[in-house]
Amino acid sequence: MSGSLPFYQKHHRHYDRGYRSKETESKLSQYQSSSRYAAGSSTSRSRGLSVSSHSGLDENRLSPIPKRAKPTYLAVDRENQIIGYVVPIFRGSQEFATGLSGTQESRVRDTAAYMARRDMFTSGLEMERSEQISRKEVMRESAERISQNKRIHEHEEHFKRMNEDSLMHAPEFVIKPRSHTVWEKQCVRLHCTVSGWPDPRVVWYKNNVAVDPLANPGKYKVESRYNVHSLEINRCDFDDTAQYRVSAMNSKGELSAFASVVVKRFKGEVDEFLPAPRQGPVSEYGITFQTHIVDKFGVSFGREGETMSLGCTVVIYPALHRYQPEVQWYRDDVLLSPSKWHHMHWSGDRATLTFTHLNKEDEGLYTLRVTTKSGYETYSAYVFVRDADAEVEGAPGAPLDVRCLDANKDYIIVTWKQPAVDGGNSILGYFVDRCEIGTTHWIQCNDTPVKFARFPVTGLVEGRSYIFRVRAVNKSGMSHPSRVSEPVAAMDPADRARMRGTSAPWTGQIIVTEEEPAEGVVPGQPLELQVTEATKNYVVLSWKPPGEKGLEGVMYYVEKCVSGTDSWQRVNTEIPVKSPRFALFDLAEGKSYRFRVRCCNSAGVGEPSDPTEATTVGDKLDIPSAPGKVVPTRNTDTSVVVSWEASRDAKELIGYYIEGSIVGSQVWEPCNNKPVNATRFICHGLITGEKYVFRVRAVNAAGLSQFSQESEPVEVKAAIASPAPPYGITVLECVRDSMVLAWKQPTFIGGADITGYFVDYREIIDGVPGKWHEANIKAVSERAYRVSDLKENRKYQFQVRAANMAGVGIPSLPSDTFLCEEWTIAVPGPPHDLQIRDVRNDSLVLLWKPPVYQGRNPVNGYYVDIKEADAPEEAWRGVNNKATETTYIKIQNLKEGESYVFRVRAQNKAGVGKTSDVTEPVPALTKPGTKEIVVDVDDNGVISLNFECGDLIPDSKFVWSKNYEEITDPSRLTIETKGNKSKAVFNTPAEEDIGIYSCLVTHTDGASASYTLSEEELKRLLEISHDHKFPIIPLKSELAVELLEKGRVRFWLQAEKMSANGKVDYVFNDNVLSQGEKYKMNFDKNTGVIEMIMESLTPADEGTFTFQLQDGKATNQSSLVLIGEVFKGLQKESEFQRKEWFRKQGPHFIEYLSYEVTPECCVILKCKVGNMKKETSALWYKDGHQIKADEHLGFTEGVLKLEIAQITTKDSGVYEVVLKDDRGKDTSTLNLTNQSFKDLMNEVFSFIANSSTPLKITSTDEGIRLYTFVSYYNDLLQVTWHYKDSAIAFSDRIKSGVVGEQLWLQIKEPTEKDMGKYAIEFNDGKGGLRRSVELSGQAFDDAFAEFKRLKAAAIAERSRARVAGGLPDVVTIQEGKALNLTCNISGDPVPEVTWLKNDREITSDDHCILKFESGKFASFTITGVNTSDSGKYSILVKNKYGTESGDFTVSVFIPEDVGGKKK
């Protein structure tokens, strides 16, 4: 069987054996050997049969097995389904066959196994004959090989045409991991095989924690090769005992498989190097778990397209760190798996189900199931999904639950469910759209809408995968598309089954097929032709392929004829269909037809099938009848149970839709958007207290039925039931013949107030209980009762039943057994009836009733104990260190979210008595929507306490208490309740009303609040009440005065709020003022601004101004006193403002004349002017003399400037600018004399000082110079040079000066005594500015050295030989004349003098006399020049400091008359 490939290898063309372990490879080798032997030894005698050979893959191309390996023969049925292995048998003289072809037989002929088989089954003659291959056998084998290769080729071509998406499916575990029990230190390997497309991603978990091999190097090894996945655990220890989960996930879904690993240890054998075994259980074995589901999700409402999360907190006790429960989610009792529509999450204590995109398919009853070893707990709640808002008003809702049925090669039936909402108009039909996987293009499948909720889609491409959606349409428009269907491939069902199926290596079955391969055979008749569905839009036919069809793919022609005729007409004339299904459209409604089918292949068209019975075109499925009587019943505050009678004779019923309407509104709303199959449904989301009517209609594929009759109206109100049993029966007092019992109120009171309780008792004799006897015939309202007529020293048990208007509930569980004997203890009995009120995040109020048994002395106080609910008994601690005399206490400083329990003890003079029963655990949490008591004082001064509750039911009542005792006396408080609000009004507030006021709302989850009215609070409220009774108009601002333009005076104030009826009186010195020329009054009632404006102030206006306000009974006034200096100042300012206004009517100065000093030390005189025009002139004056005139100014408002570039004392004076035109003139003066001029110059000096550079050091041939540069120097600038912070006294050796913009200090012939800090200080009339430099150290050394160098260079420069002057550049002289030149010579020592002619030295002679006299004068004399004396002459002077030369040229010319004579 070497040619056999397991299923997980056939899916991968790149398969090799590299993934196998040595052990696996060895086992496989043994298996293949045994398979080869079994195949070779199988024989069969058959004359009429032959064996067909089939290989699923091209072995030469796909497998690395050598060509000499033996091929595998697979048996297939008519649908190409592999059903086993076959051995080829051929008719001929060979009676015993080996199962090998001749070529293969020759390859193994020499093997021992072959020889053994030959000796066993054949004789010598038969052996000789088997070695000869006849021509007939060669031809048969060749035909078989051709047929086999052809089928393989067709098979491969089919896969090439297949769309890859058609194979997409969720992961499946072909081989799941197996649980293991191993010894410590052994290795264990979990492995599994996973199929799925696309290839799933596999993750291993240990107790729901992902295994990370990198976090534990060497501990775990994870491998994944060719869909075989393994987790290897090295050197197992106790910590490896756990539940392991392998999760496979791809885009189609997620699947998990589980396996347990248990690590055992030899008894007494402990490895000291291994960690000690942990104490306690390592898993859930031997433990009984208690599971509680808390923090539950309620009935939820969503809308299509939204997201939603459902979650519950799961408490499992005991809590084992390594134990994980099984958490499952169900919808309508169907287990959910993770998908793209909903995700599931388990955090260790909370289970969450998240909907990523709600659709109506998600509506239903959701159940969370948490399973442990000890059992399971469930919780359920309904989720409703409403339709999304339609794109077009009046359009119907989207269809839902789109599914694909009966998929074939080119044909699929799409079904869906009709929506509950039709938009107010009946739905005309539905459009079906398809989209090929891998594209985003949707194609409409039907041109006209179909009313039937089922539609056959044809014209699909074989091998392609599709998704479908449906849209509803009415006369208003189109609905949103439905949720898309699951992908489905257009392919033969047998091919689909083979793709998803798995083939075993060996089935043990040998199938013998017909002898001759059928090639070129015309197929036979199709079988079992029938009409599977008939509507007025289409008819669907189905049949089975013929039993004999050859090796070619068979296709079909469909024919029809009108009943009563024999004229058959082919329906699909152009292209035959490949699927044994066909939908016929465009048939005449009401006509009767018969149908038949023919098979065809390349050999021809076969005989027709038997025709069908006559089929009339029309809907065969009727719309269901309307449901029967609808009966609503009360359920909760927001829900009603609706029941109805099922539709009669309904076929293929899908379910029912329920609608509800508030009585009188005529507006119907759907109660469910997904059909329900039952005849009872709970409609949620109703308005409490409203009356509703309901109606129901049925739905099947044909459509929706008529509505049922409307139900009777029902009020949405919680149903009333008898209460649950009381609990916690205790004894409060016991005497000789009676016992006082107490108990706790039932947890469920049945939706109505408890009217009383009934107590029963029975005697216990020797542990055997007797009969129950009634203790009271008339119900008792208190939760305490004295049972009389008991017998002393007898034992009794008690039970209590609660009653309400619905009846008497079931009795409580029997109490503990109590002995009836008189209590003689000195301390009090236990307090009872503990109640919790006003629960908040950090506080609550505890109430109780005094003990019935007082002890020997009266009770004089109580102690309250507290502990956390899950804390041990030792955790009880006291709340109050000093006994409280009240029967209530407010407990504060609680931890938010923590649950607490409480108990109370009473004390008397004898001591502290028994503890009360412990309360139920109470979490310190402020419930959502909790309100507090609000104190209000109305406009009439009435003080009231107000409380609001949002969780009311119709039977709820507000109960007001003072000091936690119900208020029954109306003399002090009047209670008013309306809706969900209640008010307690104080009639005559006084000190006797001081106390704690509380309000409790019955039939709620403990809604209550309290308010403490202290003496200080009462005083404050009374003050507010007085203000409301005798109101004062509040003022935003008191009476004030301000000046307006033109010097007008405005008196004003602003009231907080005044009505339209408010009025104001204006009073001056007790005289009421009235509107007139002098006084202008204005009252803006919208803003509350009240004002009075006066044109000017006169001495007669000095006094007190008052505004008196009145608005109904509210009054107020405000006054302003204007006398003395205050009045005079205001009057003066008013006059000034008046003059200013008139000044500004013509050209005027907005900003008066001022100066500005620029960084360049320029002074700019400037002023800003306004209201200018072209005719306005601006004249500048200095000391009364005009210096500048600005005319024809081109601006209305601007700046005038006068620049003084280099200011000196000459610029001191009084400057004036005059603006004038025909409207008037304005003048601005600036005095720049005396101190003003000094201030200006100081500002200039400040700019000069700030522009100075840092003080620097330089050297000269005379000494060291310190200097700084300024951007501008002014002769008036005063600077001071400092040496060691003392002003320098200048001398011939130390001098200062200014050169351009450089200020310097010269130190002649410096010495070390001149070392130190030097500074220059600029005096700007203020703090001045100082620049300093340190002349010491290296700085002094460098400067001094440079000074020496420069001094020496200067001396050398002064003493070197020089030609001072006297020589011309060119001398032109007439021949025969005398030439005498003299030049000055300087130098120390006296230089040597040398004369040169044409660069050659000459000496003094009679013709040329050279002299050097007094060391200063050198002379050059030629007594009579001739032409030979022409040339370049030089004098060269030289001493030890240098050399210098002077050049001149002598040109001798001959006069013309002399020249002529010579000629």
Side-chain angles (χ1 to χ4, degrees):
M1 301 295 294
S2 61
S4 172
L5 298 180
F7 70 95
Y8 51 79
Q9 299 164 11
K10 286 187 177 183
H11 291 304
H12 299 277
R13 300 294 178 93
H14 56 275
Y15 158 74
D16 61 26
R17 297 180 176 179
Y19 74 93
R20 295 175 177 163
S21 63
K22 296 297 182 183
E23 181 181 0
T24 306
E25 193 170 356
S26 174
K27 294 292 185 181
L28 185 60
S29 176
Q30 296 175 13
Y31 164 74
Q32 289 177 338
S33 299
S34 63
S35 299
R36 242 188 338 261
Y37 182 83
S41 60
S42 300
T43 62
S44 175
R45 291 179 177 267
S46 178
R47 290 288 182 180
L49 299 175
S50 67
V51 177
S52 65
S53 175
H54 176 78
S55 176
L57 295 171
D58 187 348
E59 296 173 326
N60 294 332
R61 183 167 60 87
L62 301 180
S63 175
I65 303 175
K67 292 183 178 180
R68 296 175 61 86
K70 177 180 173 294
T72 299
Y73 294 91
L74 305 177
V76 298
D77 60 7
R78 292 188 180 96
E79 304 297 334
N80 291 336
Q81 177 68 43
I82 300 174
I83 58 175
Y85 293 86
V86 300
V87 178
I89 303 177
F90 300 98
R91 181 184 300 139
S93 61
Q94 182 178 353
E95 295 183 357
F96 300 97
T98 64
L100 305 174
S101 67
T103 305
Q104 293 167 333
E105 184 178 8
S106 63
R107 294 173 180 171
V108 300
R109 185 177 298 150
D110 296 332
T111 62
Y114 175 80
M115 297 299 293
R117 293 197 302 274
R118 187 189 61 184
D119 294 340
M120 184 178 300
F121 297 108
T122 64
S123 64
L125 179 59
E126 292 169 338
M127 183 65 184
E128 190 71 25
R129 291 173 58 189
S130 66
E131 293 177 354
Q132 299 176 356
I133 302 175
S134 66
R135 181 179 301 275
K136 183 177 181 180
E137 290 172 337
V138 172
M139 292 178 64
R140 182 179 294 111
E141 188 174 7
S142 176
E144 177 187 326
R145 197 159 45 246
I146 293 172
S147 176
Q148 173 182 326
N149 291 337
K150 184 176 180 181
R151 294 192 63 185
I152 292 175
H153 176 74
E154 291 178 350
H155 196 65
E156 289 177 346
E157 290 299 314
H158 172 71
F159 271 94
K160 290 179 181 178
R161 294 193 308 270
M162 285 288 292
N163 189 319
E164 195 176 64
D165 292 328
S166 66
L167 304 178
M168 293 175 65
H169 62 280
E172 297 178 2
F173 282 93
V174 181
I175 300 177
K176 295 184 178 181
R178 182 172 57 87
S179 298
H180 292 264
T181 300
V182 297
W183 293 108
E184 195 176 21
K185 299 183 185 179
Q186 285 186 333
C187 298
V188 65
R189 188 182 188 199
L190 306 176
H191 62 86
C192 63
T193 303
V194 183
S195 67
W197 186 259
D199 288 337
R201 175 176 174 266
V202 174
V203 181
W204 292 87
Y205 295 86
K206 175 183 176 182
N207 288 336
N208 284 340
V209 177
V211 174
D212 186 3
L214 299 179
N216 300 274
K219 181 65 178 178
Y220 301 106
K221 182 179 180 182
V222 176
E223 291 185 348
S224 297
R225 300 187 67 180
Y226 307 107
N227 286 359
V228 178
H229 309 273
S230 64
L231 169 65
E232 186 173 342
I233 308 173
N234 189 30
R235 291 182 61 84
C236 294
D237 56 27
F238 279 142
D239 288 334
D240 295 318
T241 298
Q243 184 185 58
Y244 291 83
R245 174 167 67 92
V246 57
S247 173
M249 179 184 296
N250 65 8
S251 60
K252 300 301 292 181
E254 188 267 348
L255 192 63
S256 296
F258 299 84
S260 298
V261 173
V262 179
V263 181
K264 291 187 176 181
R265 171 179 289 175
F266 291 105
K267 185 175 181 180
E269 179 182 330
V270 179
D271 191 340
E272 61 181 357
F273 297 105
L274 293 176
R278 60 178 182 273
Q279 302 299 321
V282 298
S283 67
E284 73 273 21
Y285 302 111
I287 296 177
T288 300
F289 291 100
Q290 297 179 4
T291 305
H292 303 280
I293 300 177
V294 298
D295 191 15
K296 305 170 183 177
F297 61 93
V299 175
S300 304
F301 296 87
R303 190 175 294 275
E304 283 186 308
E306 296 178 346
T307 60
M308 178 186 289
S309 290
L310 309 178
C312 290
T313 300
V314 181
V315 179
I316 300 178
Y317 182 82
L320 296 185
H321 177 64
R322 298 179 178 273
Y323 178 71
Q324 297 292 338
E326 183 181 14
V327 179
Q328 296 173 316
W329 289 89
Y330 293 82
R331 179 177 62 228
D332 297 329
D333 298 328
V334 177
L335 179 64
L336 297 178
S337 300
S339 71
K340 67 177 181 179
W341 304 113
H342 40 253
H343 301 158
M344 302 164 189
H345 178 68
W346 168 251
S347 64
D349 62 354
R350 186 167 181 82
T352 306
L353 175 65
T354 302
F355 300 92
T356 58
H357 185 284
L358 279 175
N359 285 98
K360 289 183 288 189
E361 288 85 345
D362 298 317
E363 183 171 293
L365 182 67
Y366 284 82
T367 301
L368 170 65
R369 176 178 174 135
V370 182
T371 305
T372 64
K373 181 187 74 69
S374 306
Y376 65 87
E377 288 291 328
T378 62
Y379 171 74
S380 301
Y382 212 90
V383 172
F384 293 88
V385 182
R386 297 185 176 95
D387 283 286
D389 293 334
E391 294 181 353
V392 179
E393 185 177 358
L400 65 153
D401 202 14
V402 179
R403 299 175 183 269
C404 298
L405 307 176
D406 199 17
N408 263 277
K409 296 179 181 180
D410 54 2
Y411 165 90
I412 290 174
I413 290 182
V414 179
T415 67
W416 61 91
K417 294 177 182 176
Q418 297 90 334
V421 176
D422 58 12
N425 297 298
S426 59
I427 294 176
L428 301 177
Y430 302 88
F431 287 103
V432 180
D433 303 330
R434 74 170 186 263
C435 177
E436 186 176 337
I437 294 295
T439 69
T440 58
H441 180 58
W442 287 92
I443 300 174
Q444 186 172 298
C445 300
N446 52 317
D447 296 328
T448 58
V450 293
K451 283 195 172 183
F452 209 73
R454 194 157 54 227
F455 184 75
V457 178
T458 59
L460 306 179
V461 179
E462 183 179 0
R464 302 283 177 86
S465 291
Y466 298 89
I467 53 177
F468 297 88
R469 70 183 188 189
V470 182
R471 295 168 294 151
V473 62
N474 63 8
K475 69 177 184 179
S476 297
M478 194 82 68
S479 74
H480 289 286
S482 66
R483 176 187 280 183
V484 300
S485 68
E486 293 295 324
V488 62
M491 61 187 301
D492 191 281
D495 290 338
R496 182 182 294 105
R498 183 158 54 251
M499 295 305 163
R500 294 183 178 178
T502 59
S503 58
W506 173 250
T507 63
Q509 181 181 8
I510 299 177
I511 298 176
V512 181
T513 64
E514 294 184 4
E515 174 187 5
E516 294 292 340
E519 293 190 13
V521 177
V522 176
Q525 294 180 344
L527 305 176
E528 301 181 19
L529 174 63
Q530 58 181 343
V531 177
T532 58
E533 189 170 333
T535 70
K536 63 181 180 181
N537 298 105
Y538 61 87
V539 171
V540 177
L541 304 177
S542 70
W543 61 89
K544 290 185 178 180
E548 302 173 359
K549 62 176 183 179
L551 298 178
E552 285 191 83
V554 175
M555 295 187 289
Y556 309 93
Y557 286 109
V558 178
E559 299 176 351
K560 69 177 180 180
C561 79
V562 178
S563 297
T565 68
D566 200 23
S567 175
W568 290 94
Q569 178 184 359
R570 183 170 293 178
V571 177
N572 54 330
T573 57
E574 296 181 358
I575 303 175
V577 296
K578 299 179 180 179
S579 304
R581 304 286 188 276
F582 189 73
L584 289 87
F585 297 90
D586 300 327
L587 299 177
E589 184 178 357
K591 276 192 176 183
S592 182
Y593 294 89
R594 290 187 301 156
F595 306 96
R596 68 184 185 186
V597 180
R598 294 176 183 265
C599 295
C600 67
N601 62 6
S602 59
V605 180
E607 292 296 321
S609 65
D610 294 333
T612 64
E613 296 293 332
T615 302
T616 302
V617 177
D619 290 334
K620 302 302 181 183
L621 181 64
D622 295 327
I623 295 176
S625 60
K629 184 178 180 181
V630 180
V631 179
T633 55
R634 287 166 54 184
N635 186 44
T636 68
D637 291 339
T638 59
S639 65
V640 168
V641 178
V642 179
S643 303
W644 61 90
E645 294 179 2
S647 297
R648 296 181 180 180
D649 303 326
K651 295 180 180 179
E652 301 182 23
L653 186 67
I654 295 176
Y656 298 91
Y657 283 123
I658 304 96
E659 292 186 358
S661 173
I662 298 176
V663 173
S665 68
Q666 300 301 319
V667 177
W668 291 92
E669 295 290 342
C671 298
N672 63 316
N673 282 286
K674 183 179 178 181
V676 294
N677 295 322
T679 56
R680 179 181 182 273
F681 187 72
I682 302 177
C683 299
H684 288 273
L686 308 180
I687 300 174
T688 304
E690 292 285 357
K691 289 186 178 181
Y692 284 80
V693 291
F694 298 90
R695 64 186 185 185
V696 184
R697 58 177 172 176
V699 59
N700 65 4
L704 281 77
S705 72
Q706 296 294 321
F707 282 105
S708 65
Q709 294 294 322
E710 293 182 11
S711 68
E712 293 293 327
V714 61
E715 183 180 359
V716 181
K717 185 178 179 181
I720 298 177
S722 57
Y727 64 100
I729 301 174
T730 57
V731 175
L732 302 181
E733 185 186 35
C734 185
V735 296
R736 293 181 179 179
D737 59 351
S738 66
M739 301 173 74
V740 178
L741 305 178
W743 55 89
K744 295 182 180 180
Q745 179 176 296
T747 55
F748 173 69
I749 64 174
D753 290 333
I754 292 179
T755 56
Y757 298 91
F758 295 93
V759 182
D760 300 333
Y761 67 93
R762 68 183 178 185
E763 186 178 352
I764 305 298
I765 302 175
D766 297 330
V768 179
K771 293 183 179 180
W772 288 105
H773 302 280
E774 293 180 349
N776 61 315
I777 299 175
K778 185 179 179 180
V780 295
S781 58
E782 298 292 331
R783 289 195 296 276
Y785 181 71
R786 181 181 295 274
V787 181
S788 304
D789 299 329
L790 302 179
K791 296 179 181 179
E792 189 176 7
N793 295 325
R794 298 289 181 92
K795 294 181 179 179
Y796 293 91
Q797 282 184 339
F798 303 90
Q799 68 180 17
V800 183
R801 291 171 292 169
N804 62 9
M805 61 184 299
V808 180
I810 62 175
S812 66
L813 294 174
S815 68
D816 295 336
T817 301
F818 302 119
L819 179 64
C820 183
E821 61 177 357
E822 186 168 2
W823 287 359
T824 58
I825 55 177
V827 295
H832 66 102
D833 197 13
L834 275 66
Q835 299 180 43
I836 304 294
R837 300 273 185 89
D838 305 352
V839 180
R840 301 296 185 265
N841 289 335
D842 58 351
S843 66
L844 55 80
V845 175
L846 178 65
L847 313 179
W848 61 88
K849 290 184 179 178
V852 178
Y853 178 74
Q854 297 283 313
R856 294 180 183 176
N857 304 102
V859 172
N860 57 20
Y862 301 91
Y863 291 96
V864 178
D865 299 333
I866 183 177
K867 82 175 185 70
E868 288 74 15
D870 55 355
E873 287 296 315
E874 299 80 20
W876 282 106
R877 58 190 182 276
V879 173
N880 54 324
N881 296 324
K882 183 180 179 182
T884 177
E885 296 180 358
T886 62
T887 57
Y888 59 86
I889 188 172
K890 185 171 184 178
I891 303 172
Q892 298 179 321
N893 300 321
L894 301 180
K895 184 179 180 181
E896 183 178 353
E898 185 71 56
S899 293
Y900 296 90
V901 292
F902 305 91
R903 66 186 185 187
V904 184
R905 295 168 292 153
Q907 76 166 11
N908 59 13
K909 290 183 179 180
V912 180
K914 295 182 179 180
T915 61
S916 67
D917 275 357
V918 178
T919 64
E920 296 296 320
V922 179
L925 282 174
T926 302
K927 295 178 181 178
T930 298
K931 304 287 186 179
E932 301 294 343
I933 293 178
V934 179
V935 182
D936 179 60
V937 182
D938 65 13
D939 294 339
N940 295 320
V942 177
I943 303 173
S944 62
L945 305 178
N946 300 267
F947 186 61
E948 180 181 354
C949 179
D951 299 330
L952 289 178
I953 65 172
D955 294 333
S956 295
K957 296 179 181 179
F958 290 87
V959 179
W960 287 91
S961 303
K962 179 181 178 183
N963 296 330
Y964 298 100
E965 294 182 2
E966 185 175 354
I967 298 173
T968 57
D969 182 9
S971 63
R972 303 302 308 167
L973 281 175
T974 300
I975 309 299
E976 301 174 2
T977 300
K978 185 176 181 180
N980 64 338
K981 298 179 181 179
S982 183
K983 176 190 294 187
V985 180
F986 289 94
N987 298 330
T988 54
E991 290 186 0
E992 57 186 294
D993 293 316
I994 294 174
I996 301 175
Y997 291 86
S998 63
C999 184
L1000 171 69
V1001 184
T1002 62
H1003 298 286
T1004 63
D1005 193 11
S1008 62
S1010 60
Y1011 170 78
T1012 301
L1013 181 62
S1014 62
E1015 184 177 352
E1016 293 77 10
E1017 181 68 4
L1018 177 62
K1019 183 178 179 181
R1020 184 184 71 85
L1021 293 175
L1022 290 175
E1023 291 176 355
I1024 298 174
S1025 175
H1026 180 271
D1027 292 340
H1028 285 201
K1029 289 180 181 178
F1030 309 100
I1032 294 177
I1033 299 174
L1035 300 179
K1036 285 187 177 180
S1037 61
E1038 296 289 340
L1039 185 59
V1041 64
E1042 65 180 3
L1043 294 177
L1044 305 178
E1045 67 174 8
K1046 205 176 178 179
R1048 293 186 300 168
V1049 183
R1050 177 179 181 249
F1051 297 88
W1052 70 280
L1053 63 76
Q1054 186 175 10
E1056 192 78 38
K1057 183 180 180 181
M1058 290 185 70
S1059 69
N1061 298 322
K1063 65 178 184 177
V1064 181
D1065 289 332
Y1066 305 88
V1067 179
F1068 172 65
N1069 291 341
D1070 297 331
N1071 297 318
V1072 177
L1073 304 177
S1074 59
Q1075 186 92 358
E1077 293 184 2
K1078 186 173 182 179
Y1079 303 103
K1080 301 290 188 296
M1081 288 84 165
N1082 184 35
F1083 179 15
D1084 189 343
K1085 296 181 180 179
N1086 293 326
T1087 61
V1089 175
I1090 304 170
E1091 62 181 5
M1092 181 180 73
I1093 298 175
M1094 301 173 63
E1095 288 297 324
S1096 63
L1097 288 178
T1098 65
D1101 296 321
E1102 184 175 4
T1104 302
F1105 293 84
T1106 302
F1107 286 6
Q1108 296 177 348
L1109 288 69
Q1110 184 176 0
D1111 189 4
K1113 65 179 181 178
T1115 60
N1116 204 345
Q1117 73 174 25
S1118 181
S1119 298
L1120 182 64
V1121 178
L1122 294 179
I1123 60 175
E1125 294 299 326
V1126 176
F1127 176 78
K1128 292 178 181 179
L1130 181 64
Q1131 184 184 21
K1132 184 178 180 180
E1133 181 66 22
S1134 172
E1135 287 298 323
F1136 173 76
Q1137 294 289 349
R1138 185 178 181 84
K1139 292 178 181 178
E1140 278 291 293
W1141 185 84
F1142 284 110
R1143 181 181 69 85
K1144 292 179 180 180
Q1145 299 310 302
H1148 63 274
F1149 291 94
I1150 298 174
E1151 295 177 3
Y1152 287 101
L1153 194 58
S1154 63
Y1155 64 82
E1156 176 186 358
V1157 180
T1158 67
E1160 294 78 18
C1161 297
C1162 292
V1163 177
I1164 298 176
L1165 305 184
K1166 62 179 183 177
C1167 58
K1168 188 174 182 180
V1169 296
N1171 200 11
M1172 307 285 285
K1173 63 181 184 178
K1174 291 182 180 181
E1175 292 77 11
T1176 305
S1177 62
L1179 303 178
W1180 292 81
Y1181 295 89
K1182 178 190 176 189
D1183 297 332
H1185 300 286
Q1186 182 176 333
I1187 58 175
K1188 183 183 178 183
D1190 293 329
E1191 296 180 351
H1192 305 292
L1193 300 173
F1195 53 80
T1196 303
E1197 181 178 309
V1199 177
L1200 302 178
K1201 295 182 180 180
L1202 176 64
E1203 182 177 344
I1204 306 175
Q1206 295 183 354
I1207 192 167
T1208 64
T1209 54
K1210 295 180 181 181
D1211 297 314
S1212 175
V1214 178
Y1215 291 85
E1216 183 181 23
V1217 181
V1218 178
L1219 303 176
K1220 62 181 180 179
D1221 59 19
D1222 56 352
R1223 297 170 295 170
K1225 73 174 184 176
D1226 197 6
T1227 303
S1228 177
T1229 303
L1230 178 63
N1231 188 349
L1232 291 182
T1233 60
N1234 301 325
Q1235 186 60 43
S1236 297
F1237 184 74
K1238 290 181 181 180
D1239 294 339
L1240 170 61
M1241 294 308 298
N1242 285 333
E1243 189 170 342
V1244 174
F1245 298 155
S1246 178
F1247 273 95
I1248 295 174
N1250 290 324
S1251 70
S1252 62
T1253 62
L1255 206 55
K1256 295 184 180 180
I1257 304 171
T1258 187
S1259 299
T1260 66
D1261 57 352
E1262 293 182 353
I1264 297 175
R1265 176 174 290 187
L1266 309 179
Y1267 68 93
T1268 179
F1269 285 96
V1270 294
S1271 61
Y1272 165 73
Y1273 179 75
N1274 190 285
D1275 293 337
L1276 299 177
L1277 176 66
Q1278 297 178 2
V1279 296
T1280 305
W1281 289 90
H1282 295 267
Y1283 172 63
K1284 295 182 179 179
D1285 296 330
S1286 298
I1288 297 176
F1290 297 108
S1291 62
D1292 292 339
R1293 199 176 70 88
I1294 300 178
K1295 297 181 180 180
S1296 67
V1298 179
V1299 178
E1301 278 74 38
Q1302 184 188 62
L1303 286 73
W1304 52 265
L1305 176 71
Q1306 182 74 37
I1307 306 172
K1308 291 185 177 181
E1309 297 296 331
T1311 64
E1312 291 184 355
K1313 293 182 180 180
D1314 297 318
M1315 296 173 60
K1317 181 179 180 181
Y1318 290 83
I1320 182 173
E1321 183 178 9
F1322 297 87
N1323 184 10
D1324 59 0
K1326 300 176 183 177
L1329 178 68
R1330 178 176 291 197
R1331 305 282 189 189
S1332 60
V1333 68
E1334 189 72 32
L1335 184 60
S1336 60
Q1338 188 64 39
F1340 178 82
D1341 294 342
D1342 293 344
F1344 188 78
E1346 181 65 12
F1347 156 66
K1348 288 296 187 181
R1349 186 188 68 78
L1350 293 176
K1351 182 178 180 181
I1355 294 173
E1357 182 65 22
R1358 288 195 300 269
S1359 301
R1360 72 178 178 86
R1362 295 175 182 270
V1363 178
L1367 294 177
D1369 291 334
V1370 177
V1371 177
T1372 303
I1373 190 171
Q1374 183 178 344
E1375 185 178 17
K1377 299 291 184 178
L1379 175 63
N1380 186 12
L1381 299 176
T1382 302
C1383 64
N1384 296 327
I1385 304 298
S1386 63
D1388 186 18
V1390 176
E1392 298 177 0
V1393 178
T1394 305
W1395 291 88
L1396 303 175
K1397 178 184 179 183
N1398 294 331
D1399 294 332
R1400 290 185 180 182
E1401 184 178 352
I1402 60 176
T1403 59
S1404 180
D1405 56 16
D1406 295 338
H1407 181 69
C1408 181
I1409 302 171
L1410 306 176
K1411 292 181 180 181
F1412 181 47
E1413 298 174 342
S1414 302
K1416 294 183 179 180
F1417 308 104
S1419 61
F1420 174 83
T1421 304
I1422 301 177
T1423 55
V1425 296
N1426 54 39
T1427 55
S1428 61
D1429 292 325
S1430 296
K1432 177 183 177 183
Y1433 291 85
S1434 301
I1435 181 172
L1436 182 65
V1437 293
K1438 180 180 180 182
N1439 67 3
K1440 65 178 182 179
Y1441 291 113
T1443 302
E1444 189 173 299
S1445 65
D1447 299 328
F1448 62 93
T1449 301
V1450 176
S1451 177
V1452 180
F1453 68 91
I1454 302 172
E1456 292 183 2
D1457 54 349
V1458 177
K1461 292 179 180 180
K1462 286 185 178 182
K1463 289 181 181 180

